[in-house]
Amino acid sequence: MIFPFISGFLPTRLAPATWTLIIINFCILLMMYFPSILTHQSISLISEDYRYNEVQGQFFAEFVLESGMPYSDAIIEMAEKVHNQSDFKLSIELSRVAFSDRIFLQHYEKYEFKKDKVITNWWRNKFYELNILRERLPSSVFGISSVNYNIGQAISYLFLHSGFMHLFGNMLFLLLFGAALETVIGSVSLLLAYLISGVSAAAVFYALEPLTPIPLIGASGAVSGIVAMFCVLFWGKGVRYFFMVLPKEGYYGFIYLPAWVAFIKWFISDVAGYFSTPTIMGGGVAYSAHLGGELAGILAGILFLFVRKYVLNRQGHIQAGFVDTKSNFTLMPIELGSKIH
Amino acid sequence: MVIRDTTGLLSRTTKPLAGENHPNKKSLASPFDRLAAVIIDHIIILGPLQILLMAPFEKMFTESRVMGDEAAGIIAIVVIAGLFFLSSIFYHGFFVFLVGRSPGQMTLGLKVMHFWDGRGLSFTNAVFRTITWLVLGLMCGLLISSPFLLASQQVFIFVFILSFMFPNLFIFMDPWRRGLHDRITDTMVITNESSRIAAPPSAHELKIVRGFFLSGVVMTLLFLVTIAYGILREQSLKQKIISNLETEGSLCASISQAQEGWLEDNPELIDRLQIALSLYMSDVVDVGCLEAEFDPRVYDGKTTPMTYLAKAFVYADSAELSELYLEEICNLDDKSEECIIAKSQRLMEEQNYTEAKNLLAPLISSKNLYVNIWTAKTLVDAGSYQMAKPIIEKLPNYSEFSVLKAKLYTKVLQGLNLNIAAETSLRVSLPILNSEDKLNLASWVCYDSLFNSCRAVGELGCAEFNKGLNVNEGALESVQVALSYLKYRECNEGSAVIYKAILTPDLEDEVRELILAVAAENPEALKKIILNDSYASEIRLDAVSRFMDMSPKSDDLDWVVALWKIKAIADPGYRIGFKIINKWVERGEFEEAISIADILKKETEQSKILENILVRSYKSGEIKFAKFLFDKYRSEITQGTSTSQTAARSPASNQELIDIIRSLK
């Protein structure tokens, strides 16, 4: 395990914007999480019912094969197996795809299925009920999806998390990288970078996964942007990592490695995650959004370097601290370098 | 023959260095450093790159599992394994050849060298060393972990990773700290850091590793024994599952076989669904077979009352959907036989047996096979044995129905108090029943015989029941079987047994509650059970019977009679009705007893019910009541003795009844 631990956990005095973001995210989770528990339970009651899923898979198979709507070869193949061979196991899988299929969601109410009216009405009512319940969830109201998106949601989704572990994971990295970055680029710039990365993550997610109506929530896209920006700014400079190879003295501790190591690891895991997740399955982690955030972070980092260079050139001097290799945080001519070690 | 000495071992001029003279004995790499180097190489550096390389094939593998495409899945696994091996071999081979160490080893100051002369490794040797390490690890991994695949995939992966490192345990045994792959390839790993030099393995270390090997072997053996035992134990269950899986998603051969066999007698019977329904209702095929008939390749999509009835059975696991189908049958055709079946099904669920029986009356003359089967089964469950009998007799003599007919006919004969005929029927049925059916039928017969008196405790039904209990594990989970068990033991060992019965495992909570109420001799607790309509009807009936036996008060009997009259107590087979008559007779309240007999006569529409009561009371010594009854219904009873059917419907032989009548006259 190797883990960037750049300047540890900086206090609110040094990273006010980062801490504000963390507190806002935490408060929003508290406000949204508990009231939606009952809705989640009602959803599970329907969506985890074996018979319901089997029937839904059959309906979706019929829709895919006979509606003439554009579907990928993989989904058509699945639908053929369900429809022609009554493959029950596959029917359950196809049902999961149906839950997140935009075209199906738009047409299921009016499409004339060939099955008898008893089962059609039963399933349609359940599916409708399920969608109504899902629409009530904060993730549907504030999250961004292919069927529900606007500029407000492109920002609000950033502040929603599915649970405490989701929030903890994102906020930990925000605190590690965001706080360190904030001391260098300032609070306003950090907030801007955070929001721009978040919007970029949503845009890339929408562009790469246009068919899924599963809402995108969480700050991971924006945090990925912050990580990428940090790594671009400190590309070759040594930053502190915590490592633990074995739980034995001498095999764990801190090590200074170039910032690009963190970026490469982060980037590789997102690219690998994106390419290993089958498009028909959806998946829990929106790797495409991470990549979108990273793209924005890289651009923001490069832009910052250029602007910085341009401003300093215009001022006619480059401060010595800028090239000081001893300190790891020397981009800004401030004294933080020594304080944040 | 010319041998090329590629390793240089044969042409070595100097004596191999060994023992304490080996220069590198003083710079042995620590095993922990070596493990740390592997972790750095394979988890921190190479791991992410390998994951990236394998990502498209991981996707292919996941998709193949979803699509059920085994070939694609195997290709994906082979490619993933190939990529892992090739990248690992190239990584180690390249770095060890170039700089004498992998990046992980470099981080920890380790170096790989030839064991004999301390030279660096050639590219071929470095590659060979890596291949040896991987192949040995893979062999150990697969050999040790493959049995764990039977436990679960996660356990298999965990054990595989652990056992992959097995060849490295030699590091703790070899004086030069060499793993098995080092020994095979004549290499060793040293450290450049003087502070990290490891000593040769101590005796203590050797003991620990040997103990580790031994415990690994013992644990694996234990695991294998457990698995083997589990397999043997669950073999019969597995066979059932396998046979279910075979039929899942495909049509059942038994339906086609039945169709072929039946067509000679019933040329009009060409509908597979009709045959499937008949077989399903006869418990010959499971619901999977019925469901398979709705396969789009077979089912034409027609909507009829029969298809909806079949779907109600198919979707029985989703109560709401099943109920919707039952409702819709009558909307399709409210005069259909299936509509009557749907309505009767609901009445049976509500334990309204009298209404169900009345509703099913028009179906007695049905020519539809599955309707006949359903009607016969439901009437037997509702205790209308007289009505069920001709339908059972009418069922065709196909081998598929032999078990069903045997079970229903025995119950009918027993229910009609034709005890000798019932025992004969049971005797004939036993060879064709499986152990579970045997137990259930014997349990039913035994309980029915013992309901009013313990005289039948030595008869065939109870003897078979006792035998069946010993071979059917967990049989007492069934309420009916548990009640028979209690009754049987009480008759054999006296009422004190009820205290011991509390300790019997496997009993359902409601049975346990009944036992507690009886053991505490608490009529109020029994009353609670009687009034709780969420309990199984068998429990409530048993509680009523015990309540009447326990409470001597006249008010309590009045209370039971009142409940019985308004049908608050479902009484299929009229066991309670007969018991109430007995109680009135015991108290000398003959008029009351006769009034109940009148109700029974109307309810059962059997004139012979009076003969039943007459014979019962005469045999139990209630001569006074028998005379009272005979005087009141003289014309009806004597008329019965003149018909040829009497013997078949009477509780005793015709001659027995005639003898009783003679003595009463």
Side-chain angles (χ1 to χ4, degrees):
Chain A
M1 181 183 73
I2 184 158
F3 191 81
F5 201 75
I6 304 147
S7 47
F9 303 119
L10 290 177
T12 48
R13 183 173 52 84
L14 294 175
T18 306
W19 277 104
T20 307
L21 283 170
I22 291 169
I23 290 164
I24 290 173
N25 275 297
F26 183 71
C27 291
I28 289 175
L29 179 69
L30 280 185
M31 281 195 301
M32 303 285 184
Y33 185 72
F34 294 105
S36 62
I37 286 177
L38 278 178
T39 315
H40 276 294
Q41 282 173 348
S42 308
I43 288 173
S44 305
L45 214 60
I46 302 174
S47 65
E48 287 169 15
D49 178 61
Y50 168 80
R51 188 56 93 171
Y52 170 78
N53 277 299
E54 187 201 327
V55 170
Q56 177 158 293
Q58 289 165 357
F59 275 106
F60 185 53
E62 187 186 326
F63 182 79
V64 168
L65 295 176
E66 295 182 18
S67 66
M69 295 290 176
Y71 278 104
S72 70
D73 290 344
I75 292 184
I76 291 171
E77 199 185 327
M78 276 174 92
E80 276 170 352
K81 282 187 178 172
V82 169
H83 194 256
N84 300 332
Q85 296 166 23
S86 299
D87 189 331
F88 298 126
K89 214 172 131 193
L90 200 57
S91 185
I92 306 282
E93 293 295 339
L94 202 58
S95 168
R96 286 188 193 143
V97 181
F99 277 128
S100 56
D101 185 78
R102 187 167 57 113
I103 305 172
F104 190 56
L105 277 170
Q106 283 168 350
H107 293 90
Y108 82 95
E109 279 182 279
K110 289 189 180 153
Y111 186 78
E112 286 190 15
F113 291 100
K114 284 181 183 167
K115 283 186 179 287
D116 67 63
K117 65 175 184 179
V118 176
I119 202 161
T120 307
N121 289 342
W122 175 78
W123 165 76
R124 215 175 241 156
N125 289 341
K126 293 247 171 203
F127 196 49
Y128 178 77
E129 193 186 332
L130 198 64
N131 286 315
I132 293 289
L133 285 168
R134 289 207 310 196
E135 279 168 21
R136 270 193 226 153
L137 288 174
S139 56
S140 295
V141 181
F142 300 107
I144 190 161
S145 71
S146 55
V147 288
N148 194 11
Y149 58 93
N150 57 42
I151 188 65
Q153 280 161 328
I155 291 171
S156 63
Y157 88 94
L158 280 172
F159 297 93
L160 278 181
H161 288 85
S162 61
F164 289 96
M165 284 314 290
H166 186 199
L167 178 82
F168 175 77
N170 284 343
M171 292 305 110
L172 179 69
F173 282 96
L174 178 63
L175 187 57
L176 289 173
F177 284 93
L181 190 63
E182 188 177 347
T183 58
V184 177
I185 65 171
S187 299
V188 177
S189 304
L190 179 97
L191 283 176
L192 267 176
Y194 184 86
L195 294 177
I196 289 168
S197 299
V199 172
S200 164
V204 171
F205 172 77
Y206 183 76
L208 293 180
E209 292 174 44
L211 284 175
T212 176
I214 297 175
L216 172 71
I217 55 166
S220 57
V223 173
S224 298
I226 296 294
V227 173
M229 188 176 178
F230 178 90
C231 293
V232 167
L233 295 187
F234 294 95
W235 189 255
K237 297 188 192 307
V239 293
R240 193 164 61 148
Y241 290 78
F242 173 75
F243 72 94
M244 190 169 86
V245 182
L246 291 170
K248 184 177 186 298
E249 202 180 339
Y251 294 92
Y252 61 84
F254 292 97
I255 187 173
Y256 284 85
L257 291 172
W260 59 260
V261 172
F263 178 77
I264 294 293
K265 275 189 80 72
W266 203 280
F267 187 69
I268 283 177
S269 71
D270 283 335
V271 172
Y274 178 71
F275 284 111
S276 65
T277 309
T279 38
I280 51 169
M281 303 288 289
V285 179
Y287 292 106
S288 53
H290 289 189
L291 292 171
E294 279 155 23
L295 180 72
I298 293 167
L299 294 176
I302 293 169
L303 186 71
F304 187 86
L305 284 175
F306 273 112
V307 170
R308 177 82 199 153
K309 195 172 178 183
Y310 176 75
V311 170
L312 291 177
N313 278 341
R314 279 200 46 149
Q315 284 175 357
H317 63 281
I318 298 172
Q319 300 222 358
F322 191 75
V323 288
D324 183 0
T325 51
K326 284 179 188 170
S327 173
N328 293 296
F329 299 95
T330 49
L331 276 173
M332 295 282 282
I334 53 174
E335 293 178 351
L336 285 173
S338 56
K339 286 184 184 175
I340 56 176
H341 270 289
Chain B
M1 187 172 68
V2 180
I3 299 172
R4 264 186 129 190
D5 179 19
T6 50
T7 60
L9 286 172
L10 297 174
S11 57
R12 195 183 294 116
T13 49
T14 51
K15 267 183 85 178
L17 295 164
E20 296 305 316
N21 298 327
H22 198 294
N24 291 320
K25 184 113 188 185
K26 294 193 175 78
S27 53
L28 297 176
S30 148
F32 292 106
D33 276 3
R34 293 187 66 175
L35 179 61
V38 170
I39 291 171
I40 291 170
D41 282 331
H42 285 270
I43 295 179
I44 296 174
I45 302 172
L46 188 58
L49 291 170
Q50 284 174 329
I51 288 170
L52 187 62
L53 268 177
M54 295 168 190
F57 302 99
E58 197 189 328
K59 179 179 174 179
M60 184 178 165
F61 178 68
T62 316
E63 280 176 347
S64 72
R65 284 182 69 181
V66 173
M67 306 290 293
D69 189 346
E70 278 184 24
I74 292 168
I75 291 171
I77 287 181
V78 169
V79 174
I80 286 172
L83 282 174
F84 172 78
F85 276 88
L86 284 177
S87 55
S88 300
I89 290 165
F90 179 76
Y91 173 87
H92 284 283
F94 178 75
F95 281 109
V96 171
F97 162 68
L98 213 64
V99 286
R101 61 198 87 184
S102 69
Q105 287 167 330
M106 207 183 299
T107 316
L108 289 144
L110 307 180
K111 193 173 183 229
V112 184
M113 55 188 282
H114 268 295
F115 177 66
W116 297 104
D117 51 20
R119 277 186 296 124
L121 271 61
S122 68
F123 182 73
T124 322
N125 284 348
V127 165
F128 180 56
R129 181 175 182 272
T130 314
I131 291 174
T132 313
W133 178 63
L134 289 171
V135 169
L136 283 173
L138 189 71
M139 276 166 59
C140 282
L142 289 178
L143 207 69
I144 297 166
S145 61
S146 50
F148 291 84
L149 202 54
L150 293 167
S152 82
Q153 207 176 339
Q154 283 79 10
V155 175
F156 166 76
I157 292 169
F158 179 72
V159 178
F160 180 83
I161 292 169
L162 281 185
S163 43
F164 190 91
M165 301 303 283
F166 248 56
N168 292 324
L169 284 179
F170 281 81
I171 293 174
F172 296 96
M173 300 168 80
D174 187 274
W176 287 275
R177 295 272 182 202
R178 291 179 302 166
L180 194 55
H181 61 291
D182 288 324
R183 291 169 78 156
I184 291 173
T185 57
D186 273 342
T187 56
M188 69 179 295
V189 180
I190 58 158
T191 179
N192 292 335
E193 308 269 334
S194 56
S195 59
R196 302 177 83 93
I197 292 171
S202 62
H204 183 62
E205 216 172 301
L206 277 170
K207 274 183 196 166
I208 290 175
V209 176
R210 278 179 193 150
F212 188 79
F213 273 124
L214 193 67
S215 57
V217 171
V218 170
M219 276 178 68
T220 308
L221 281 176
L222 268 176
F223 177 78
L224 287 175
V225 169
T226 318
I227 288 286
Y229 175 72
I231 288 171
L232 286 174
R233 197 160 172 265
E234 288 183 17
Q235 210 160 26
S236 58
L237 184 70
K238 271 196 175 172
Q239 275 168 351
K240 266 188 192 171
I241 294 167
I242 288 165
S243 71
N244 283 348
L245 286 174
E246 279 171 355
T247 53
E248 197 179 75
S250 58
L251 299 174
C252 292
S254 46
I255 293 168
S256 313
Q257 285 162 9
Q259 195 174 26
E260 275 174 35
W262 300 357
L263 272 177
E264 289 171 17
D265 298 336
N266 293 294
E268 75 282 1
L269 197 67
I270 48 163
D271 194 331
R272 274 185 65 94
L273 189 60
Q274 210 173 350
I275 297 169
L277 257 177
S278 305
L279 292 178
Y280 172 71
M281 286 175 173
S282 316
D283 303 323
V284 175
V285 297
D286 63 7
V287 75
C289 281
L290 190 59
E291 188 167 8
E293 291 304 310
F294 291 103
D295 188 302
R297 288 165 295 180
V298 183
Y299 176 51
D300 56 8
K302 270 188 194 163
T303 299
T304 63
M306 181 178 70
T307 57
Y308 274 15
L309 181 67
K311 285 185 180 181
F313 290 128
V314 166
Y315 296 114
D317 56 355
S318 174
E320 191 189 346
L321 184 56
S322 179
E323 190 60 31
L324 283 172
Y325 271 115
L326 286 177
E327 259 176 45
E328 202 59 33
I329 291 171
C330 294
N331 291 341
L332 281 180
D333 182 358
D334 62 350
K335 290 189 175 64
S336 64
E337 291 175 333
E338 288 80 4
C339 175
I340 296 176
I341 290 179
K343 285 178 180 169
S344 69
Q345 161 78 358
R346 239 175 256 137
L347 289 170
M348 289 299 285
E349 278 168 13
E350 291 164 9
Q351 299 182 9
N352 190 345
Y353 302 120
T354 313
E355 284 297 315
K357 181 199 74 181
N358 294 338
L359 197 66
L360 287 171
L363 298 188
I364 292 174
S365 54
S366 170
K367 288 183 179 166
N368 199 330
L369 194 54
Y370 67 83
V371 174
N372 287 334
I373 295 169
W374 173 268
T375 312
K377 279 177 78 174
T378 311
L379 286 174
V380 169
D381 288 344
S384 299
Y385 308 114
Q386 194 67 45
M387 276 172 80
K389 199 165 164 255
I391 310 174
I392 299 165
E393 286 165 347
K394 197 170 79 177
L395 287 176
N397 287 323
Y398 301 142
S399 59
E400 288 86 352
F401 299 141
S402 54
V403 170
L404 177 80
K405 281 179 83 174
K407 287 195 287 187
L408 292 182
Y409 208 66
T410 308
K411 282 186 179 182
V412 162
L413 294 174
Q414 177 69 28
L416 289 172
N417 287 313
L418 299 170
N419 299 340
I420 299 165
E423 189 161 325
T424 311
S425 174
L426 179 63
R427 198 182 302 281
V428 173
S429 308
L430 289 173
I432 58 167
L433 301 179
N434 62 30
S435 69
E436 197 185 333
D437 281 341
K438 261 184 211 172
L439 175 73
N440 287 332
L441 185 60
S443 154
W444 194 93
V445 171
C446 182
Y447 184 79
D448 194 75
S449 318
L450 303 181
F451 194 79
N452 281 314
S453 82
C454 286
R455 271 181 303 173
V457 75
E459 287 174 6
L460 181 68
C462 290
E464 275 302 318
F465 171 63
N466 189 34
K467 230 191 273 176
L469 272 179
N470 298 327
V471 291
N472 286 277
E473 207 179 314
L476 290 175
E477 283 169 15
S478 152
V479 169
Q480 174 60 58
V481 175
L483 292 176
S484 307
Y485 168 75
L486 279 182
K487 206 77 171 164
Y488 178 74
R489 284 195 62 185
E490 276 177 278
C491 283
N492 266 324
E493 301 164 44
S495 58
V497 80
I498 206 83
Y499 293 103
K500 295 179 204 162
I502 298 168
L503 302 172
T504 311
D506 300 336
L507 292 178
E508 286 288 314
D509 287 346
E510 42 196 74
V511 178
R512 225 174 269 282
E513 194 180 329
L514 178 82
I515 294 171
L516 283 171
V518 177
E521 294 183 9
N522 183 354
E524 288 308 313
L526 284 174
K527 265 187 176 179
K528 267 188 193 167
I529 296 172
I530 294 166
L531 294 174
N532 192 338
D533 55 11
S534 67
Y535 280 6
S537 61
E538 295 101 322
I539 289 275
R540 297 175 68 203
L541 278 178
D542 200 87
V544 173
S545 168
R546 289 172 185 280
F547 178 75
M548 283 195 281
D549 291 339
M550 190 186 291
S551 179
K553 284 191 285 179
S554 180
D555 287 355
D556 286 338
L557 186 58
D558 285 341
W559 180 73
V560 171
V561 172
L563 283 182
W564 184 80
K565 279 185 179 170
I566 61 164
K567 295 191 170 53
I569 305 167
D571 186 17
Y574 304 102
R575 287 174 185 154
I576 298 298
F578 282 116
K579 185 139 190 160
I580 293 171
I581 292 175
N582 287 347
K583 288 286 165 193
W584 285 131
V585 171
E586 275 172 25
R587 293 173 189 206
E589 304 270 3
F590 294 163
E591 285 295 343
E592 295 290 344
I594 291 288
S595 73
I596 302 294
D598 269 340
I599 296 172
L600 282 181
K601 193 180 143 197
K602 272 185 209 152
E603 288 276 337
T604 58
E605 293 167 4
Q606 300 172 47
S607 60
K608 302 302 164 212
I609 201 108
L610 298 172
E611 295 163 16
N612 270 328
I613 300 167
L614 180 72
V615 176
R616 275 163 180 261
S617 38
Y618 188 86
K619 276 181 160 179
S620 59
E622 299 287 350
I623 313 289
K624 221 171 153 187
F625 174 68
K627 184 142 181 51
F628 184 83
L629 184 76
F630 180 68
D631 289 343
K632 188 157 179 149
Y633 294 102
R634 179 184 287 258
S635 59
E636 281 180 46
I637 293 173
T638 47
Q639 191 189 9
T641 55
S642 62
T643 64
S644 60
Q645 289 181 328
T646 311
R649 292 188 286 158
S650 165
S653 69
N654 197 27
Q655 191 54 50
E656 191 179 15
L657 180 64
I658 292 167
D659 291 345
I660 293 170
I661 291 170
R662 267 188 202 144
S663 73
L664 289 175
K665 275 179 181 171

